[in-house]
Amino acid sequence: MLTNVLMDGVFQLSVAMPAALPFLLRLAADPDVPARSELLDLVMITVELSQPVDGNGERAVLLLGSDSDHPERERCRKVLSDHASLLRMLPDGTLTQASW
């Protein structure tokens, strides 16, 4: 399953996610893709897990790890920023710009 390759666990993106994300975004933006809803779910999870972790939040760091240990988060944020036009093509309510 694609999710197993792109996720290192429940709360961890794999190092492969930044490379795959542009393709996922293109597919999720296409209403004719049969697995679109599953791709939208994966994109939403990626957006959430790409958010910076507050280094002062002990609980967050324990759960998600520090940003310095997970450079894939910043790389995913860069991909999301670079592909903002595709994010705007997602169905209304899927994502807001504030979330990426």
Side-chain angles (χ1 to χ4, degrees):
M1 178 173 221
L2 181 63
T3 307
N4 293 339
V5 174
L6 299 177
M7 303 289 292
D8 276 345
V10 177
F11 298 113
Q12 302 293 328
L13 300 171
S14 84
V15 296
M17 182 59 87
L21 191 52
F23 302 102
L24 294 174
L25 291 170
R26 281 189 214 103
L27 290 170
D30 185 346
D32 295 328
V33 171
R36 186 179 192 204
S37 65
E38 291 87 356
L39 292 169
L40 288 169
D41 289 344
L42 185 55
V43 168
M44 289 173 51
I45 290 167
T46 302
V47 168
E48 288 300 318
L49 293 178
S50 295
Q51 299 303 309
V53 173
D54 178 7
N56 295 324
E58 215 175 294
R59 195 181 295 175
V61 171
L62 284 173
L63 182 64
L64 301 169
S66 68
D67 283 347
S68 61
D69 293 334
H70 296 282
E72 64 276 3
R73 291 182 195 146
E74 185 177 347
R75 292 181 189 131
C76 284
R77 289 193 302 270
K78 171 88 168 92
V79 170
L80 292 165
S81 177
D82 290 348
H83 292 83
S85 61
L86 287 174
L87 291 171
R88 289 186 197 97
M89 295 173 63
L90 299 179
D92 289 343
T94 301
L95 297 171
T96 63
Q97 187 166 359
S99 62
W100 46 274

